[in-house]
Amino acid sequence: ENDINNLKKQHKEEKQDLNNIIAQKESEIDHLSKQLETAENIMEQQKENAKMRDKQFRSEIQDLEKMLQDKKREMEEEGNKMRANEDKLRQNITKLNKTINEKEAIIDSL
């Protein structure tokens, strides 16, 4: 009977040891699950941050493209004005040369 009690006691102790191991493993699993959840949250946040940076980058590119188009249009308009002014200058030079030639002809005829 003493042996039976010893075996029961030993069995109870082994059962308690196994329960302690199970509890420790469950605690480790909980800890790892929390770490995994944290890592997933960090990855999701980084993904969102990357999307925002991409969106901002694309917006900046669009702004720069618009600025470039505006500057190009402005330069074309400036070029057109310069060509118009050049034409006017040529016309004025032609008129001045004509006037000079007329006056020289008058002077020569005197």
Side-chain angles (χ1 to χ4, degrees), residues 42-84:
I42 289 170
M43 285 174 44
E44 188 62 32
Q45 186 61 49
Q46 288 175 338
K47 185 177 170 184
E48 288 300 316
N49 290 346
K51 282 182 185 178
M52 290 300 292
R53 282 192 305 272
D54 183 61
K55 185 177 179 181
Q56 182 179 358
F57 181 66
R58 289 179 189 278
S59 175
E60 289 173 4
I61 288 174
Q62 287 177 342
D63 291 347
L64 289 172
E65 286 174 342
K66 185 182 182 309
M67 287 172 55
L68 181 62
Q69 288 299 324
D70 291 347
K71 194 64 168 173
K72 188 176 177 182
R73 189 171 24 263
E74 186 180 306
M75 290 177 72
E76 286 172 355
E77 289 172 2
E78 191 65 31
N80 290 339
K81 287 179 188 175
M82 290 173 71
R83 279 188 284 282

Side-chain angles (χ1 to χ4, degrees), residues 15-56:
K15 186 176 178 183
Q16 185 59 46
D17 287 346
L18 288 175
N19 284 337
N20 288 343
I21 291 171
I22 289 170
Q24 181 184 355
K25 295 299 178 187
E26 286 175 345
S27 174
E28 289 175 10
I29 289 171
D30 286 344
H31 179 69
L32 290 173
S33 292
K34 287 177 184 171
Q35 283 184 328
L36 178 60
E37 184 180 350
T38 299
E40 287 172 342
N41 288 341
I42 289 170
M43 285 174 44
E44 188 62 32
Q45 186 61 49
Q46 288 175 338
K47 185 177 170 184
E48 288 300 316
N49 290 346
K51 282 182 185 178
M52 290 300 292
R53 282 192 305 272
D54 183 61
K55 185 177 179 181
Q56 182 179 358

Side-chain angles (χ1 to χ4, degrees), residues 80-95:
N80 290 339
K81 287 179 188 175
M82 290 173 71
R83 279 188 284 282
N85 285 339
E86 183 182 0
D87 289 344
K88 287 179 187 176
L89 284 172
R90 287 183 194 279
Q91 290 171 3
N92 287 339
I93 289 171
T94 301
K95 287 179 186 176

